[in-house]
């Protein structure tokens, strides 16, 4: 996702669908779709097999039945070594040195329930060290799974990167 911004309002994109014959009007699903889930899910909703390899999955059944799904999204690198994770409760993001040599220091941690407008950055506060550690390990797990090159990640996300 390329928006040059780490705030949840950029990554939280509503999806509106009109599905004739599904029998649900005004239905709002609690399922979180990642961008990588969009194509296989849309194909699933249309009853079309999705035969292309991708990192996402078909969440059409969860979407239509209103099931709770995974409620976290990983932020992947783009033009600046950055990464992060958005969960129901928190958003944590790290930004490293830009490709043109400039250094960015806008690491962020927000409590999404207490501070939905993301006004108070909690990153670096001692009382949030445990939360930061747990979320950082989740970020590393995503990047190990998807084999993200260390050169694309800020130092904080590559400390435990496995080859």
């Amino acid at each position: 996702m390329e928006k040059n911004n780490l705030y949840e309002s950029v990554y939280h994109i509503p999806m509106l669908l009109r599905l004739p014959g599904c029998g649900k009007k005004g239905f709002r699903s609690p399922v979180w779709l990642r961008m990588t889930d969009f194509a296989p899910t849309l194909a699933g909703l249309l009853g079309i097999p999705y035969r292309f390899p991708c990192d996402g999955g078909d969440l059409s059944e969860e979407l239509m039945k209103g099931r709770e799904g995974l409620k976290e999204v990983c932020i992947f690198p783009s033009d600046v070594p950055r990464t992060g994770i958005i969960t129901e409760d928190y958003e944590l993001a790290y930004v490293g040195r830009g490709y043109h040599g400039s250094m960015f220091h806008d690491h962020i941690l927000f409590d999404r329930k207490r501070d939905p407008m993301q006004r108070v950055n909690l990153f670096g506060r001692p009382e949030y060290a445990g939360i930061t550690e747990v979320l950082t390990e989740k970020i590393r797990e995503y990047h190990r799974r998807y084999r993200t090159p260390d050169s694309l990640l800020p130092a904080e996300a590559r400390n435990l990167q496995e080859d």
Side-chain angles (χ1 to χ4, degrees):
M1 172 137 337
E2 177 54 46
K3 294 276 191 146
N4 292 318
N5 192 313
L6 295 172
Y7 297 94
E8 190 267 344
S9 60
V10 172
Y11 290 94
H12 187 170
I13 303 167
M15 182 172 81
L16 303 173
L17 296 172
R18 182 167 189 252
L19 300 169
C22 85
K24 295 183 178 187
K25 287 187 176 190
F27 174 70
R28 184 177 180 149
S29 173
V31 174
W32 287 19
L33 285 173
R34 300 169 297 159
M35 292 303 289
T36 54
D37 300 323
F38 184 78
T41 300
L42 186 57
L45 289 168
L46 296 171
I48 301 169
Y50 192 79
R51 296 187 177 108
F52 304 98
C54 71
D55 294 329
D58 177 1
L59 299 175
S60 59
E61 190 173 318
E62 289 84 352
L63 190 68
M64 292 307 295
K65 292 185 177 176
R67 291 188 198 146
E68 291 287 326
L70 182 64
K71 297 240 182 192
E72 62 183 46
V73 174
C74 188
I75 302 167
F76 281 84
S78 59
D79 63 325
V80 173
R82 75 176 86 210
T83 188
I85 191 165
I86 300 171
T87 69
E88 271 192 294
D89 298 319
Y90 294 97
E91 176 182 349
L92 171 67
Y94 291 109
V95 176
R97 187 171 297 279
Y99 293 129
H100 299 288
S102 54
M103 188 58 162
F104 299 91
H105 294 287
D106 52 352
H107 301 334
I108 58 171
L109 174 66
F110 292 114
D111 183 322
R112 296 184 66 236
K113 296 208 174 173
R114 292 187 181 145
D115 183 21
M117 299 302 292
Q118 298 183 326
R119 293 186 175 148
V120 180
N121 186 354
L122 305 171
F123 187 84
R125 292 190 183 183
E127 63 270 31
Y128 290 92
I131 290 165
T132 301
E133 187 177 316
V134 167
L135 293 174
T136 300
E137 185 52 35
K138 283 182 174 234
I139 291 168
R140 290 180 181 135
E141 288 171 14
Y142 271 102
H143 291 295
R144 282 192 292 267
R145 182 179 329 139
Y146 294 111
R147 300 173 194 243
T148 307
D150 277 343
S151 62
L152 298 178
L153 298 172
E156 295 83 354
R158 64 173 90 133
N159 289 336
L160 298 175
Q161 194 81 340
E162 295 174 357
D163 294 327

